[in-house]
Coordinates of all heavy atoms in Angstrom, one line a residue:
M1 N -12.2 -3.9 -8.2 CA -11.4 -3.6 -7.0 C -12.2 -3.7 -5.8 O -13.3 -3.2 -5.7 CB -10.8 -2.2 -7.2 CG -9.9 -1.8 -6.0 SD -9.4 0.0 -6.1 CE -9.6 0.4 -4.4
N2 N -11.6 -4.2 -4.7 CA -12.2 -4.3 -3.4 C -12.2 -2.9 -2.8 O -11.2 -2.3 -2.7 CB -11.4 -5.3 -2.6 CG -12.0 -5.5 -1.2 OD1 -13.0 -4.9 -0.8 ND2 -11.3 -6.3 -0.4
D3 N -13.4 -2.5 -2.2 CA -13.4 -1.2 -1.6 C -13.6 -1.3 -0.1 O -13.9 -0.3 0.5 CB -14.5 -0.3 -2.2 CG -15.9 -0.9 -2.0 OD1 -16.0 -2.0 -1.5 OD2 -16.9 -0.3 -2.5
Q4 N -13.3 -2.5 0.5 CA -13.4 -2.6 1.9 C -11.9 -2.5 2.5 O -11.0 -3.1 2.0 CB -13.9 -4.0 2.3 CG -15.3 -4.3 1.9 CD -16.3 -3.5 2.7 OE1 -16.2 -3.4 3.9 NE2 -17.2 -2.8 2.0
K5 N -11.8 -1.6 3.5 CA -10.5 -1.4 4.0 C -10.1 -2.7 4.9 O -10.9 -3.3 5.5 CB -10.4 -0.2 4.9 CG -11.1 -0.3 6.2 CD -10.9 1.0 7.0 CE -11.5 0.9 8.4 NZ -11.4 2.2 9.1
N6 N -8.8 -2.9 4.9 CA -8.2 -3.9 5.8 C -7.7 -3.1 7.0 O -6.7 -2.4 6.9 CB -7.1 -4.7 5.1 CG -6.5 -5.8 6.0 OD1 -6.6 -5.7 7.3 ND2 -5.9 -6.8 5.4
P7 N -8.3 -3.2 8.2 CA -7.9 -2.4 9.3 C -6.6 -2.7 9.9 O -6.0 -2.0 10.7 CB -9.1 -2.7 10.3 CG -9.6 -4.0 10.0 CD -9.5 -4.1 8.5
N8 N -6.0 -3.9 9.4 CA -4.7 -4.3 9.8 C -3.6 -3.7 9.0 O -2.4 -3.8 9.4 CB -4.6 -5.8 9.8 CG -5.6 -6.4 10.8 OD1 -5.7 -6.1 11.9 ND2 -6.3 -7.4 10.3
I9 N -3.9 -3.0 7.9 CA -2.9 -2.5 7.0 C -3.1 -1.0 6.8 O -3.9 -0.6 5.9 CB -2.8 -3.3 5.7 CG1 -2.6 -4.8 5.9 CG2 -1.6 -2.7 4.8 CD1 -2.6 -5.6 4.6
H10 N -2.6 -0.2 7.6 CA -2.7 1.3 7.5 C -1.7 1.7 6.4 O -0.5 1.3 6.4 CB -2.3 2.0 8.8 CG -2.5 3.4 8.7 ND1 -1.5 4.3 9.0 CD2 -3.6 4.2 8.5 CE1 -1.9 5.5 8.9 NE2 -3.2 5.5 8.5
C11 N -2.1 2.5 5.4 CA -1.2 2.9 4.4 C -1.7 4.2 3.8 O -2.9 4.4 3.6 CB -1.3 1.9 3.2 SG -0.2 2.4 1.8
T12 N -0.8 5.2 3.6 CA -1.1 6.5 3.1 C -0.7 6.7 1.7 O -0.7 7.9 1.2 CB -0.5 7.6 4.0 OG1 1.0 7.4 4.0 CG2 -1.0 7.5 5.5
V13 N -0.4 5.7 1.0 CA 0.1 5.8 -0.4 C -1.2 5.9 -1.3 O -1.7 4.9 -1.9 CB 1.0 4.6 -0.8 CG1 1.5 4.8 -2.2 CG2 2.1 4.5 0.2
D14 N -1.7 7.1 -1.4 CA -2.9 7.4 -2.2 C -2.7 7.0 -3.7 O -3.7 6.8 -4.4 CB -3.3 8.8 -2.1 CG -3.7 9.2 -0.7 OD1 -4.0 8.4 0.1 OD2 -3.9 10.5 -0.5
Q15 N -1.5 7.0 -4.1 CA -1.2 6.7 -5.6 C -1.4 5.3 -5.9 O -1.3 4.9 -7.1 CB 0.2 7.2 -5.9 CG 0.4 8.7 -5.8 CD 0.7 9.2 -4.4 OE1 0.8 8.4 -3.5 NE2 0.9 10.5 -4.2
C16 N -1.6 4.4 -4.9 CA -1.7 3.0 -5.2 C -3.2 2.6 -5.4 O -4.1 3.1 -4.7 CB -1.2 2.2 -4.0 SG -1.4 0.4 -4.2
A17 N -3.4 1.8 -6.4 CA -4.8 1.4 -6.8 C -5.5 0.6 -5.6 O -6.7 0.5 -5.6 CB -4.8 0.6 -8.0
H18 N -4.7 0.0 -4.8 CA -5.2 -0.8 -3.7 C -5.5 0.0 -2.4 O -6.0 -0.5 -1.4 CB -4.3 -1.9 -3.3 CG -4.0 -2.9 -4.4 ND1 -5.0 -3.6 -5.0 CD2 -2.8 -3.3 -5.0 CE1 -4.5 -4.3 -5.9 NE2 -3.2 -4.2 -5.9
N19 N -5.2 1.3 -2.5 CA -5.4 2.2 -1.3 C -6.8 2.7 -1.2 O -7.3 3.2 -2.2 CB -4.4 3.3 -1.3 CG -4.4 4.1 0.0 OD1 -5.1 5.0 0.2 ND2 -3.5 3.6 0.9
L20 N -7.5 2.6 0.0 CA -8.8 3.3 0.2 C -8.4 4.7 0.6 O -8.3 5.0 1.8 CB -9.6 2.5 1.2 CG -11.0 3.0 1.4 CD1 -11.8 2.9 0.1 CD2 -11.7 2.2 2.5
C21 N -8.2 5.6 -0.3 CA -7.5 6.9 0.0 C -8.4 7.8 0.8 O -7.9 8.7 1.4 CB -7.1 7.5 -1.3 SG -8.3 7.7 -2.6
T22 N -9.7 7.5 0.9 CA -10.5 8.3 1.8 C -10.3 8.0 3.3 O -10.6 8.7 4.2 CB -12.0 8.1 1.5 OG1 -12.3 6.7 1.6 CG2 -12.4 8.6 0.2
E23 N -9.6 6.8 3.5 CA -9.4 6.4 4.9 C -8.0 6.0 5.2 O -7.7 5.6 6.4 CB -10.4 5.2 5.3 CG -11.8 5.6 5.2 CD -12.7 4.6 5.9 OE1 -12.4 4.1 7.0 OE2 -13.7 4.2 5.3
N24 N -7.1 6.0 4.2 CA -5.7 5.7 4.4 C -5.5 4.2 4.9 O -4.7 4.0 5.8 CB -5.0 6.6 5.4 CG -4.8 8.0 4.7 OD1 -4.7 8.1 3.5 ND2 -4.8 9.0 5.5
Y25 N -6.2 3.3 4.3 CA -6.0 1.9 4.5 C -5.8 1.1 3.2 O -6.4 1.5 2.2 CB -7.1 1.3 5.3 CG -7.0 1.6 6.8 CD1 -7.6 2.7 7.3 CD2 -6.3 0.7 7.7 CE1 -7.6 3.0 8.7 CE2 -6.2 1.0 9.0 CZ -6.8 2.2 9.5 OH -6.7 2.4 10.9
C26 N -5.1 0.0 3.3 CA -5.1 -0.9 2.1 C -6.3 -1.7 2.1 O -7.0 -2.0 3.1 CB -3.8 -1.8 2.3 SG -3.5 -2.9 0.9
T27 N -6.7 -2.1 0.9 CA -7.9 -3.0 0.7 C -7.6 -4.4 0.4 O -8.5 -5.2 0.3 CB -8.7 -2.4 -0.5 OG1 -7.9 -2.4 -1.7 CG2 -9.3 -1.0 -0.2
L28 N -6.3 -4.8 0.3 CA -5.9 -6.2 0.1 C -6.0 -7.0 1.4 O -5.9 -6.4 2.5 CB -4.5 -6.2 -0.4 CG -4.3 -5.6 -1.8 CD1 -2.8 -5.7 -2.2 CD2 -5.1 -6.2 -2.8
D29 N -6.2 -8.3 1.3 CA -6.1 -9.1 2.5 C -4.7 -9.3 3.1 O -4.6 -9.4 4.3 CB -6.6 -10.5 2.1 CG -8.1 -10.5 1.8 OD1 -8.8 -9.6 2.2 OD2 -8.5 -11.5 1.0
Q30 N -3.7 -9.2 2.2 CA -2.4 -9.3 2.6 C -1.5 -8.5 1.6 O -1.9 -8.4 0.4 CB -1.9 -10.7 2.7 CG -1.9 -11.5 1.5 CD -1.5 -12.9 1.7 OE1 -1.1 -13.3 2.8 NE2 -1.5 -13.7 0.6
V31 N -0.3 -8.1 2.0 CA 0.6 -7.4 1.0 C 1.9 -8.1 1.1 O 2.3 -8.7 2.1 CB 0.7 -5.9 1.3 CG1 -0.6 -5.2 1.1 CG2 1.2 -5.7 2.8
H32 N 2.7 -7.9 0.1 CA 4.1 -8.4 0.0 C 5.0 -7.3 0.2 O 5.0 -6.3 -0.6 CB 4.3 -9.0 -1.4 CG 5.6 -9.6 -1.6 ND1 6.1 -9.9 -2.9 CD2 6.7 -9.8 -0.8 CE1 7.4 -10.4 -2.7 NE2 7.7 -10.3 -1.5
I33 N 5.8 -7.3 1.3 CA 6.8 -6.3 1.6 C 8.2 -6.8 1.1 O 8.5 -8.0 1.3 CB 6.8 -6.0 3.1 CG1 5.5 -5.7 3.6 CG2 7.9 -4.9 3.4 CD1 4.8 -4.5 2.9
D34 N 8.9 -5.9 0.5 CA 10.1 -6.3 -0.2 C 11.2 -5.2 0.1 O 10.9 -4.2 0.7 CB 9.9 -6.5 -1.7 CG 10.9 -7.4 -2.3 OD1 11.9 -7.8 -1.7 OD2 10.7 -7.8 -3.5
T35 N 12.4 -5.5 -0.4 CA 13.4 -4.5 -0.3 C 14.2 -4.4 -1.6 O 14.3 -5.4 -2.4 CB 14.4 -4.7 0.8 OG1 15.4 -3.7 0.9 CG2 15.2 -6.0 0.6
H36 N 14.6 -3.2 -2.0 CA 15.4 -3.0 -3.2 C 16.9 -2.9 -2.8 O 17.7 -2.6 -3.7 CB 15.0 -1.7 -3.9 CG 15.0 -0.5 -3.0 ND1 13.9 -0.1 -2.3 CD2 15.9 0.4 -2.8 CE1 14.2 1.0 -1.6 NE2 15.4 1.3 -1.9
E37 N 17.3 -3.1 -1.6 CA 18.6 -3.0 -1.1 C 19.2 -4.4 -0.8 O 18.4 -5.3 -0.4 CB 18.7 -2.2 0.2 CG 18.2 -0.8 0.0 CD 19.1 0.1 -0.8 OE1 20.3 -0.3 -1.0 OE2 18.7 1.2 -1.2
A38 N 20.5 -4.6 -0.9 CA 21.2 -5.9 -0.6 C 21.2 -6.0 0.9 O 21.1 -7.2 1.5 CB 22.6 -5.9 -1.2
N39 N 21.3 -4.9 1.7 CA 21.5 -5.0 3.1 C 20.7 -3.8 3.7 O 21.2 -2.8 4.1 CB 22.9 -4.9 3.5 CG 23.1 -5.0 5.0 OD1 22.2 -5.5 5.7 ND2 24.2 -4.4 5.5
P40 N 19.3 -3.9 3.8 CA 18.5 -2.8 4.3 C 18.9 -2.3 5.7 O 19.0 -3.2 6.6 CB 17.1 -3.3 4.1 CG 17.2 -4.8 4.1 CD 18.5 -5.1 3.5
T41 N 19.0 -1.0 5.9 CA 19.3 -0.5 7.2 C 18.3 0.5 7.8 O 18.3 0.8 9.0 CB 20.7 0.2 7.2 OG1 20.7 1.2 6.1 CG2 21.8 -0.9 6.9
V42 N 17.5 1.1 6.9 CA 16.5 2.1 7.3 C 15.2 1.8 6.6 O 15.2 1.1 5.6 CB 17.0 3.5 7.0 CG1 18.2 3.9 7.9 CG2 17.3 3.7 5.5
K43 N 14.2 2.4 7.1 CA 12.8 2.1 6.5 C 12.7 2.5 5.1 O 11.9 1.9 4.3 CB 11.7 2.8 7.4 CG 11.8 4.3 7.4 CD 10.7 4.8 8.3 CE 10.7 6.3 8.4 NZ 9.7 6.9 9.3
E44 N 13.5 3.5 4.6 CA 13.5 3.9 3.2 C 13.9 2.8 2.3 O 13.7 2.9 1.1 CB 14.3 5.1 3.0 CG 13.6 6.4 3.5 CD 13.7 6.6 5.1 OE1 14.5 5.8 5.7 OE2 13.1 7.5 5.6
C45 N 14.6 1.8 2.8 CA 15.0 0.7 2.0 C 13.9 -0.4 1.7 O 14.1 -1.3 0.9 CB 16.2 -0.1 2.7 SG 17.6 0.9 3.1
V46 N 12.8 -0.2 2.4 CA 11.8 -1.2 2.3 C 10.6 -0.7 1.5 O 10.2 0.4 1.5 CB 11.3 -1.6 3.7 CG1 10.2 -2.6 3.7 CG2 12.5 -2.1 4.5
D47 N 10.0 -1.6 0.7 CA 9.0 -1.3 -0.3 C 7.8 -2.2 -0.1 O 7.9 -3.4 0.3 CB 9.4 -1.4 -1.7 CG 10.7 -0.7 -1.9 OD1 10.8 0.6 -1.8 OD2 11.7 -1.3 -2.3
C48 N 6.6 -1.7 -0.5 CA 5.4 -2.6 -0.7 C 5.4 -3.0 -2.1 O 5.2 -2.3 -3.0 CB 4.1 -1.8 -0.4 SG 2.7 -2.9 -0.6
A49 N 5.7 -4.3 -2.3 CA 5.8 -4.9 -3.6 C 4.4 -5.2 -4.2 O 4.3 -5.6 -5.4 CB 6.6 -6.2 -3.6
S50 N 3.3 -4.9 -3.5 CA 2.0 -5.1 -4.0 C 1.5 -3.8 -4.6 O 0.3 -3.8 -5.1 CB 1.0 -5.5 -2.8 OG 1.5 -6.7 -2.3
F51 N 2.3 -2.7 -4.6 CA 1.9 -1.4 -5.1 C 1.5 -1.6 -6.6 O 2.2 -2.2 -7.4 CB 3.0 -0.4 -5.0 CG 2.8 0.9 -5.7 CD1 2.1 1.9 -5.0 CD2 3.2 1.1 -7.0 CE1 1.9 3.1 -5.6 CE2 3.0 2.3 -7.6 CZ 2.3 3.3 -6.9
V52 N 0.4 -0.9 -7.0 CA 0.0 -0.8 -8.4 C -0.5 0.6 -8.6 O -1.3 1.2 -7.8 CB -1.2 -1.7 -8.7 CG1 -1.7 -1.5 -10.1 CG2 -0.8 -3.2 -8.5
K53 N 0.1 1.3 -9.6 CA -0.2 2.7 -9.8 C -1.7 2.8 -10.2 O -2.3 2.1 -11.0 CB 0.6 3.2 -11.0 CG 0.3 4.6 -11.4 CD 1.0 5.6 -10.5 CE 0.8 7.0 -11.0 NZ -0.4 7.7 -10.6
R54 N -2.4 3.8 -9.5 CA -3.8 4.0 -9.7 C -3.9 5.1 -10.8 O -3.0 5.9 -11.0 CB -4.5 4.4 -8.5 CG -4.4 5.9 -8.1 CD -5.6 6.3 -7.2 NE -5.6 5.7 -5.9 CZ -6.6 4.9 -5.5 NH1 -7.7 4.8 -6.3 NH2 -6.6 4.4 -4.3
Q55 N -5.1 5.1 -11.4 CA -5.3 6.1 -12.5 C -5.8 7.4 -11.8 O -5.4 8.5 -12.3 CB -6.4 5.6 -13.5 CG -5.9 4.3 -14.2 CD -4.6 4.5 -14.9 OE1 -4.3 5.5 -15.6 NE2 -3.6 3.6 -14.6
E56 N -6.6 7.3 -10.8 CA -7.1 8.5 -10.1 C -7.6 8.1 -8.7 O -7.9 6.9 -8.5 CB -8.2 9.2 -10.9 CG -9.4 8.3 -11.1 CD -10.4 8.9 -12.0 OE1 -10.0 9.3 -13.1 OE2 -11.6 9.0 -11.6
C57 N -7.6 9.1 -7.8 CA -8.2 8.8 -6.4 C -9.7 8.6 -6.5 O -10.4 9.5 -7.1 CB -7.8 9.9 -5.5 SG -8.3 9.6 -3.8
Q58 N -10.2 7.5 -6.0 CA -11.7 7.3 -6.1 C -12.3 7.4 -4.7 O -11.7 7.2 -3.7 CB -11.9 5.8 -6.6 CG -11.3 5.7 -8.0 CD -11.3 4.2 -8.4 OE1 -11.5 3.3 -7.6 NE2 -11.2 4.0 -9.7
Ligands
SF4_1 S1 -0.7 -2.5 -1.9 FE1 0.9 -1.6 -0.5 S2 1.1 0.5 -1.3 FE2 -0.9 -0.3 -2.1 S3 -2.4 0.4 -0.6 FE3 -1.7 -1.7 0.0 S4 -0.1 -1.4 1.5 FE4 -0.4 0.6 0.4

């Protein structure tokens, strides 16, 4: 896993394996943002499709 933060992608999802949880940034070069709704209207409708469940915070 890459342990360098991407300063352009702030993220607080510590449960994701791509999150540098000590600094609240993503470590990927880019992420895929998606929606689970047919017609999204609020931010809760939008998801990071690059999420991968981590085993533990490192
Ligand atoms: S992949 Fe998505 S959820 Fe995971 S750290 Fe990056 S931006 Fe956050």
